[in-house]
Amino acid sequence: MTEDNNLEPSLHPEHQFHHIGYACQSIEKDLEFFKHLGYSKNGPNFTDHEQGVLGCFLEGPGPCIELLENLPDRNTLTPWLNKGVNMYHIAYQVVDLDKAILWASTKRGRMVVKPLPAAAFDGRRICFFAFRNGPLLEFIEL
């Protein structure tokens, strides 16, 4: 524990890696590529109107991948896609979302999506943090 704020210097060991978020123009087109790498869909597509995305999870020989595309007339992923960035977030399941938020704030993270229920996780809350030298970090409440 750090002496000044009583928080873990790194993510708590109970926080588990969940997936890598991959922005795409078309889930169906990018799914074909991932199939060549040994991935397949793990469940049906989900629609998250709050975030403005359609998505699905892939399982395969490597880490879990979340493919995401913009819903029609939404531009949630457009900034990433315009920059040619596809792998844009890393997600962790966290035991205590409020404590994870506090931890990220002390590590100079900037909350870019406040806690909200997520369709992909049966309404459990998620939030996103941006860091100066890294991808977005998503916290998924257990």
Side-chain angles (χ1 to χ4, degrees):
M1 302 285 261
T2 58
E3 293 179 47
D4 59 329
N5 58 16
N6 233 16
L7 290 175
E8 299 285 337
S10 59
L11 278 176
H12 192 279
E14 290 180 349
H15 298 172
Q16 295 291 315
F17 173 81
H18 189 267
H19 68 267
I20 294 173
Y22 189 93
C24 55
Q25 296 287 344
S26 166
I27 287 174
E28 294 310 314
K29 287 181 183 175
D30 283 28
L31 178 57
E32 289 306 310
F33 169 75
F34 281 99
K35 283 180 179 177
H36 294 295
L37 299 177
Y39 281 85
S40 60
K41 283 176 75 170
N42 181 9
N45 288 358
F46 60 85
T47 301
D48 193 322
H49 294 284
E50 183 88 26
Q51 295 186 74
V53 296
L54 174 70
C56 70
F57 288 100
L58 306 180
E59 60 183 19
C64 179
I65 304 287
E66 180 185 34
L67 292 182
L68 296 162
E69 69 178 58
N70 286 323
L71 286 175
D73 301 321
R74 297 294 296 272
N75 64 357
T76 305
L77 303 169
T78 303
W80 300 102
L81 294 169
N82 286 347
K83 292 178 185 175
V85 175
N86 295 99
M87 290 187 190
Y88 77 100
H89 78 260
I90 299 171
Y92 283 85
Q93 294 189 62
V94 298
V95 175
D96 183 334
L97 185 62
D98 294 326
K99 190 170 183 178
I101 289 169
L102 183 59
W103 174 86
S105 297
T106 66
K107 302 302 178 201
R108 302 176 81 182
R110 182 175 53 88
M111 188 182 294
V112 295
V113 175
K114 293 181 180 179
L116 67 138
F121 302 106
D122 299 320
R124 288 184 286 145
R125 294 183 309 157
I126 63 166
C127 66
F128 286 86
F129 273 84
F131 293 86
R132 181 171 287 194
N133 295 318
L136 287 179
L137 184 60
E138 177 184 15
F139 291 131
I140 306 161
E141 186 173 51
L142 281 173

